[in-house]
Amino acid sequence: QVQLVESGGGLVQAGASLRLSCAASGRTFSRHVMGWFRQAPGKEREFVAAISWIGGRTSYVDSVKGRFTVSRDNAKNTVYLQMNSLEPEDTAAYYCAATPSIGIPTNFWSYDYWGQGTQVTVSS
């Protein structure tokens, strides 16, 4: 069982940066792929980024490559999403998710555990 709690969202202007954190409970955190998804009103939940549980392999959706960085600290049971050069199109609720998958899935149905979400709003 893994429980996830996101933090770090907020209201910022375009071009600003935010760092989201996801604190996980559970002794098997280090053996889970950790992903970030987002969902804007009226839109489907979208994969943003993910990081493997070992080796530091990462995956990003094209629209955030070069701007967002996902990382994890297994000693602190925490995964981060550093978001730079934010754009109004990044406005959404951001969710942290976990899966014991061997690979790095990008579809939401592959993730077993979800946080409650944190809102990111980027004004133009």
Side-chain angles (χ1 to χ4, degrees):
Q1 188 82 13
V2 177
Q3 294 182 329
L4 306 172
V5 179
E6 303 97 332
S7 62
L11 171 63
V12 297
Q13 291 189 330
S17 298
L18 280 175
R19 187 176 80 157
L20 306 183
S21 298
C22 174
S25 63
R27 292 177 292 177
T28 60
F29 168 79
S30 63
R31 294 185 175 272
H32 284 71
V33 171
M34 300 301 298
W36 286 97
F37 289 76
R38 65 187 179 187
Q39 188 166 19
K43 295 188 176 181
E44 294 185 351
R45 190 162 297 193
E46 175 189 34
F47 170 79
V48 177
I51 185 166
S52 63
W53 63 272
I54 192 170
R57 290 180 296 122
T58 58
S59 178
Y60 298 92
V61 67
D62 285 347
S63 61
V64 308
K65 286 180 180 177
R67 300 189 298 123
F68 291 11
T69 302
V70 59
S71 61
R72 66 189 296 163
D73 185 337
N74 287 341
K76 295 182 178 180
N77 279 10
T78 302
V79 63
Y80 305 98
L81 185 66
Q82 178 67 43
M83 306 186 295
N84 299 329
S85 302
L86 282 161
E87 304 169 353
E89 293 73 21
D90 295 318
T91 295
Y94 282 71
Y95 298 89
C96 174
T99 175
S101 172
I102 300 298
I104 304 181
T106 60
N107 49 70
F108 70 87
W109 56 85
S110 293
Y111 288 78
D112 302 305
Y113 306 102
W114 291 85
Q116 82 290 347
T118 185
Q119 180 67 35
V120 172
T121 303
V122 184
S123 63
S124 58

